[in-house]
Amino acid sequence: LVSPNGGLPSSVLWAQLILKDRLRVGDVVVDATMGNGHDTLFLAQCVSPDGHVFAFDVQEAALIETRKRVPAEMATLIHAGHETMRAHVPTNLHGKISAVMFNLGYLPGTDKALITRTETTMIAVREALELLKPSGILTVVVYPGHEGGADEGRHIAEWAASLDSRRFEVQHLRP
Ligand code: SAM
């Protein structure tokens, strides 16, 4: 449980550890925030050779970067907002997705205007739950440090706390 810098796990590393333990070869998963493709590659490696990743981003640059890391047979890269994921993931896979991973905020070194936004994030996390299979897992990494990030995190936390506890188990980790 060590970060590359020798410190404690980052939020993303916690999410990856939880997912890695549960994902199986052949699973189909969603990366809701592709960025440079590190998480898409992580997910693809967890489910390969027979699994598949559907990955989303609103920036074309994200698709280009991610395609350098992850071959087409492992991941379908979709140039669209995650708030449209239900329309893009084939209907025969609805209710069969093993995990949906969100890593919110902006891509370091790029346009901060292309940040995730509370309104679309909240649509997307609701859609994500509809895609998950029983015992599937949704991870959401939130960065409260940038403008709008704290508000986005509050909305996520309130929504998660309001879910039916007979159907959903919720954990909130705060490094
Ligand atoms: N997972 C990425 C990686 O491994 O490099 C990092 C993701 S970065 C923190 C957040 C990403 O969310 C940015 O690339 C940004 O373009 C993207 N984004 C912003 N709004 C979005 C939306 N509505 N749907 C999908 N992606 C979005």
Side-chain angles (χ1 to χ4, degrees), residues 12 16 31-41 56-59 62 66 69 78 80-83 101-108 110-111 114-117 120-121 124 143:
V12 180
Q16 292 187 347
D31 182 356
T33 48
M34 190 185 329
N36 285 326
H38 299 287
D39 294 322
T40 309
L41 177 62
F56 292 84
D57 208 292
V58 288
Q59 300 194 56
T66 301
R69 294 195 160 83
I78 300 162
H82 41 218
E83 62 277 11
M101 185 176 194
F102 286 79
N103 184 355
L104 300 173
Y106 60 90
L107 201 54
T110 62
D111 186 357
L114 291 167
I115 204 162
T116 56
R117 308 228 164 254
T120 40
T121 299
Y143 300 93

Side-chain angles (χ1 to χ4, degrees), residues 22-29 47 50-53 96 98 133:
R22 283 162 182 76
L23 291 177
R24 297 287 174 266
V25 168
D27 283 354
V28 182
V29 297
V47 302
D50 299 324
H52 200 73
V53 187
K96 298 194 175 137
S98 299
K133 68 178 189 185

